[in-house]
Amino acid sequence: MIQIDEENGLVTLQQDGVSRTLPMADPEAFEAISRAYLRAGWDLKYVYSFTWMGRPIIQLPDDMVRMQEVIYAVKPDVIIETGVAHGGSLIFYAGLCKAMGSGRVVGVDIEIRPHNRDAIEAHEMFPLITLIEGDSIAASTIDAVKAQIKPGETVMVLLDGKHTYDHVMAELESYGALVSAGSYIVSMDGIMQDLVGAPRSQPDWDKDNPARAARDFAAKREDYELVEPPIEFNEGTLRTRTVTYWPDAFLQKK
């Protein structure tokens, strides 16, 4: 439990019967406030309140800015995203590709609803987007994705479809082979591990989540490392980014 004293700039943390008071400027205080903010945001469906160039994006803005930093650093030729929904993130990534002057996006989903497909196909960014409908871990779908990659191209993969441990692990195994050295496969929405008991949650999310899949994948693979992307610019005092729906998400291919 936390208590926030805004007037005096203090945060009191209470855990296991022990109470500690920290200044707001302490990184541990910021982390505690961040956890409360993320939980409240989940309960209120805060991520459902944003669009990107007219399409619902359903992502935390902090995560999308971080993703932009990673994409600009890698400058992939192909960005593969499992999970299409309304298409906002596909539009976001395609816009980055257009701004950089290179790259394109492949979106994969087991079902692309007709009204979402129509809106994506009518969008200004659609020339840089390919849609593939099918189970992301089906052999036929993976073959269709592979057909979009030309020899020698730099590939990045973002996993934002079905978030169960088994499905994400299967995606990591299948799509990890497509990622280029130095690039990333990103296992999104690991915040599920911290949301047991929250609205719309399941009691097994502490184990059945994408973050655990990413950690286990990294532990058994010598060609991948679970990393925090480098912070290229930082005039603040924090050295980590705690405001995220994607803990333990970024797997970099060595």
Side-chain angles (χ1 to χ4, degrees), residues 32-184:
I33 294 169
S34 297
R35 286 197 301 269
Y37 160 77
L38 290 168
R39 169 58 196 269
W42 171 269
D43 290 4
L44 293 166
K45 300 180 77 171
Y46 174 65
V47 296
Y48 287 82
S49 61
F50 300 96
T51 63
W52 189 265
M53 294 183 71
R55 297 303 301 155
I57 195 165
I58 317 180
Q59 296 287 3
L60 200 66
D62 301 66
D63 285 324
M64 297 311 288
V65 172
R66 168 193 269 189
M67 193 71 250
Q68 168 273 144
E69 291 178 331
V70 172
I71 289 172
Y72 187 71
V74 175
K75 295 183 175 62
D77 299 297
V78 185
I79 301 170
I80 300 164
E81 181 178 44
T82 63
V84 169
H86 299 275
S89 56
L90 294 179
I91 301 300
F92 179 88
Y93 305 135
L96 292 176
C97 291
K98 185 171 182 178
M100 293 187 297
S102 65
R104 60 192 185 280
V105 184
V106 178
V108 181
D109 205 307
I110 195 167
E111 179 189 11
I112 303 173
R113 295 179 180 178
H115 64 282
N116 287 328
R117 179 183 288 274
D118 290 345
I120 295 167
E121 292 180 348
H123 200 277
E124 304 97 301
M125 292 295 110
F126 183 65
L128 294 175
I129 298 171
T130 298
L131 296 174
I132 297 175
E133 189 168 60
D135 185 344
S136 64
I137 59 175
S140 58
T141 303
I142 295 167
D143 286 343
V145 171
K146 289 179 179 177
Q148 297 297 318
I149 304 170
K150 300 173 185 177
E153 289 192 314
T154 299
V155 178
M156 179 180 293
V157 177
L158 315 175
L159 304 179
D160 193 24
K162 186 177 180 181
H163 293 306
T164 65
Y165 175 93
D166 289 342
H167 187 85
V168 173
M169 182 61 77
E171 286 185 322
L172 289 167
E173 296 285 2
S174 298
Y175 290 86
L178 306 181
V179 176
S180 307
S183 188
Y184 299 83

